[in-house]
Amino acid sequence: MSEQQENKKQHSEVSMDLGDSSNKPLLRLDRRALLRGSVGLGIAGAIGRIVHPTTAFAQTPKRGGKFVAGIKSGSTTDTVDPVDLNSTASLFVSYQLGNRLLERTPDGKLGPELAESWEPSDGGKTWTFTLRKGVTFHNGKEFTANDMVYSLNRHRGNSKSGAAALMKGIKDIKAVGPYQLTVILSAPDVGLPYLMTNAGLVAQPEGEDPAKGIGTGPFILDSAQPGVRYNFRRNPKYFRPEQPLFDELEILVINDDTARISALLAGSAHFVSDLTPNLVERLKGAPTVKIDVADTTTFCYFVMQTNQAPFDNPDLRLALKYAVDRNLILKTTQAGYGTIGNDNPINSIYPLYSELPQHTYDPDKASFYYKKSGHSGAIDLYTSESVFPAAVSAVEIFQQTAAKAGITISPKRVPHDGYWSDVWMKKSFCASRFGALATEDQAFTQPFASDSPWNDGNWYRPEFDKLLVQARSELDVEKRKSLYHEAAKMIQEDGGHITLMFSPSINGFAKNVQGFVGDHFHGEGKNFARCWFEA
């Protein structure tokens, strides 16, 4: 049994009412009911495993130095515009440049960022956010409610933002004076505050070019070479005066797994993201390195375009779902890290998770549905090594297991550069990964809602969309759980995702780096502002 398997999941329950700093809850509930209700709203303690726990505040933080991070999954087509966060590298960059109204803390709590407080009214159809005063953008302009209204509206309507589908329930966003804004909904949404933690909903100055990367964040962008490197300097006017601690920050895009590990071991990078499970053992004995492992909601999958032949055939989709050996892929390519997927986006980290019958490898069933589909000939499946750890190997294993059902998979390996712009949502069958989803609603909406720009399987089901609308306004926890169960079942049986596994976040950093806090919601990039070098 591996070390990771021996470490049992730790559950920490977090309670919070919907009011926040004023402690004015939306509903009058006793403590037990409040805890149940909070969990139902997606406010859950983190469930995770730490291979080498960090001691974040063992020393007095020290200012100074240049921090270098090696990040996987970046491309020359990336941009610093938060409307277009299509890669891990662009996500890390966004955390340096900007802030959101609220933030999800590593332990799952909802916390203030640019908003000091938030409060619902009208039964949850209106939310009022009171903003911090004295916050300035990198260009010296004061941050006001008008800037936040402008920034949020960039993700609404026909925006290409991945958050656009999540914003559909918003009727209007209004500034109420310079330091307050209201969000008016078409129907109550008990999870609206969690939407405001979305990675893309970054505050930007109204009237400024979004491509300049001007925000309120802890670091100021000096230069950007997408797909190569980004250079930053400390923001001396950051609204959190104790941050950042580093004078300079450099983010290097290092897509090659071995090269990232080599950079960490050689000391040319102080932090590297997305360590591959099969290479973690190489680092465990290194005296200068620490490893952080955290379970996440990120899922790795193969996606079929359900509105295109041959994948518009539901029997062919089912055949392929039964033709993949998820256990073998997890064991062979992930060294036991992660958990098995089940062709829907929800795992046990989500508080409203409920089990569905597991799709297991069954070559007989796969053969039955394949013959029923009437398809013949090879099926192209596109992948790239950096889509998720060992993505190419996963496709090769799928090729072998599908062959036993009489299905021919033809792997198409392509370079990572341009994968998210030229392959994902362009090719009819490809490997992909989805993460940074804070609630059940986000997990169902962004990849599957009919009006989502990131509905990568082009799966359009009005009855599914209605379930999501119902769930958002349902205050009864068990009823909302039942609605999400039905939604997951629809995706599992009919959707275009073959969900292989939920992958953990595995990051490595130098032992002289203090203040690192593991994150189960892919906020690792926030660490760059709160970390420091040991004396």
Side-chain angles (χ1 to χ4, degrees):
M1 180 177 288
S2 69
E3 178 180 353
Q4 197 235 14
Q5 289 171 320
E6 289 173 351
N7 283 312
K8 295 183 178 180
K9 292 181 178 179
Q10 302 297 313
H11 298 256
S12 59
E13 192 174 37
V14 177
S15 66
M16 179 180 293
D17 46 31
L18 292 178
D20 118 331
S21 59
S22 61
N23 291 318
K24 295 178 180 177
L26 176 61
L27 301 172
R28 293 181 179 272
L29 299 171
D30 61 29
R31 185 177 182 277
R32 185 173 180 180
L34 177 61
L35 285 170
R36 259 182 53 226
S38 296
V39 169
L41 297 173
I43 306 170
I47 302 170
R49 292 167 283 199
I50 303 298
V51 174
H52 294 291
T54 62
T55 53
F57 301 104
Q59 297 184 17
T60 302
K62 298 181 184 298
R63 193 179 296 280
K66 178 180 179 179
F67 187 77
V68 180
I71 307 300
K72 182 175 183 175
S73 187
S75 172
T76 56
T77 58
D78 288 345
T79 171
V80 297
D81 186 346
V83 164
D84 196 17
L85 298 181
N86 285 334
S87 72
T88 302
S90 59
L91 180 65
F92 270 83
V93 169
S94 78
Y95 280 124
Q96 317 318 315
L97 297 178
N99 303 95
R100 295 110 191 121
L101 281 176
L102 307 176
E103 68 174 346
R104 191 77 178 259
T105 62
D107 61 0
K109 293 180 181 179
L110 191 66
E113 198 162 34
L114 290 176
E116 288 185 326
S117 64
W118 55 101
E119 187 175 0
S121 58
D122 192 19
K125 288 181 68 174
T126 300
W127 290 83
T128 301
F129 295 85
T130 300
L131 308 182
R132 293 180 186 269
K133 297 178 182 178
V135 177
T136 58
F137 288 104
H138 298 156
N139 62 359
K141 181 182 183 294
E142 183 187 17
F143 164 70
T144 68
N146 284 334
D147 297 304
M148 200 69 232
V149 171
Y150 157 77
S151 302
L152 293 174
N153 280 334
R154 294 192 65 230
H155 299 266
R156 298 177 63 205
N158 294 322
S159 171
K160 64 180 178 179
S161 167
L166 300 170
M167 308 283 277
K168 293 288 185 180
I170 296 176
K171 284 176 61 177
D172 200 6
I173 305 174
K174 297 180 179 179
V176 185
Y179 305 112
Q180 196 171 75
L181 64 88
T182 59
V183 178
I184 303 164
L185 307 174
S186 55
D189 184 352
V190 293
L192 188 278
Y194 279 86
L195 171 57
M196 296 303 152
T197 71
N198 185 276
L201 303 184
V202 174
Q204 296 178 288
E206 185 178 17
E208 193 66 76
D209 181 2
K212 289 183 178 180
I214 296 173
T216 59
F219 290 98
I220 300 170
L221 184 66
D222 279 334
S223 64
Q225 293 176 269
V228 182
R229 61 166 45 85
Y230 301 83
N231 290 97
F232 309 81
R233 69 182 185 277
R234 184 173 68 87
N235 177 6
K237 297 182 180 180
Y238 191 44
F239 65 86
R240 289 169 170 159
E242 73 281 4
Q243 297 180 2
L245 294 161
F246 298 121
D247 292 329
E248 296 178 74
L249 167 66
E250 183 174 26
I251 292 179
L252 301 175
V253 177
I254 310 176
N255 289 322
D256 183 81
D257 295 328
T258 303
R260 272 197 323 287
I261 288 178
S262 297
L264 182 62
L265 290 173
S268 55
H270 304 105
F271 169 92
V272 294
S273 73
D274 295 285
L275 293 177
T276 55
N278 60 335
L279 294 177
V280 168
E281 294 300 320
R282 177 183 166 189
L283 290 175
K284 281 186 179 178
T288 59
V289 170
K290 292 184 281 190
I291 302 169
D292 178 84
V293 182
D295 286 334
T296 74
T297 58
T298 294
F299 55 98
C300 306
Y301 59 102
F302 302 141
V303 56
M304 302 170 277
Q305 298 283 322
T306 62
N307 64 338
Q308 298 179 26
F311 304 110
D312 55 352
N313 186 322
D315 289 317
L316 179 61
R317 298 200 296 271
L318 267 180
L320 294 172
K321 290 175 181 180
Y322 285 116
V324 63
D325 191 335
R326 297 167 184 80
N327 278 301
L328 181 61
I329 289 174
L330 188 70
K331 180 180 178 181
T332 305
T333 69
Q334 307 300 310
Y337 288 87
T339 56
I340 293 295
N342 196 20
D343 301 337
N344 76 89
I346 302 299
N347 66 357
S348 59
I349 287 180
Y350 292 103
L352 299 186
Y353 164 79
S354 59
E355 282 194 50
L356 291 170
Q358 179 66 45
H359 275 176
T360 58
Y361 176 51
D362 191 329
D364 292 332
K365 273 189 179 180
S367 178
F368 169 79
Y369 283 110
Y370 185 66
K371 290 174 182 175
K372 188 179 176 184
S373 76
H375 183 270
S376 62
I379 298 173
D380 293 343
L381 174 53
Y382 288 80
T383 187
S384 178
E385 192 59 58
S386 59
V387 176
F388 56 81
V392 171
S393 297
V395 170
E396 291 171 347
I397 292 172
F398 183 32
Q399 179 188 32
Q400 296 164 13
T401 58
K404 295 178 181 179
I407 302 172
T408 302
I409 301 295
S410 178
K412 301 293 181 183
R413 183 174 181 174
V414 296
H416 175 76
D417 193 44
Y419 187 88
W420 298 108
S421 57
D422 301 330
V423 176
W424 182 63
M425 297 192 72
K426 299 291 195 312
K427 299 298 183 182
S428 60
F429 197 21
C430 73
S432 187
R433 177 172 73 164
F434 221 114
L437 300 167
T439 64
E440 291 87 351
D441 180 63
Q442 291 183 25
F444 284 121
T445 299
Q446 283 193 274
F448 299 106
S450 296
D451 54 4
S452 172
W454 287 0
N455 178 349
D456 54 2
N458 287 319
W459 186 69
Y460 308 115
R461 299 294 184 272
E463 61 273 27
F464 174 83
D465 300 332
K466 288 177 183 177
L467 283 175
L468 299 189
V469 173
Q470 269 185 277
R472 286 183 197 123
S473 57
E474 180 55 68
L475 296 176
D476 185 279
V477 174
E478 290 304 317
K479 288 181 180 178
R480 193 179 321 118
K481 183 176 181 178
S482 177
L483 291 169
Y484 285 140
H485 180 85
E486 190 62 31
K489 185 179 178 182
M490 287 180 65
I491 293 169
Q492 185 198 42
E493 293 177 350
D494 185 57
H497 281 201
I498 302 173
T499 309
L500 305 175
M501 58 198 165
F502 290 87
S503 62
S505 171
I506 309 178
N507 301 297
F509 52 102
K511 274 195 174 175
N512 70 330
V513 174
Q514 298 293 315
F516 187 92
V517 180
D519 196 295
H520 303 276
F521 299 95
H522 284 283
E524 296 95 340
K526 299 176 188 176
N527 276 294
F528 301 166
R530 59 190 174 221
C531 285
W532 69 93
F533 290 131
E534 183 179 48

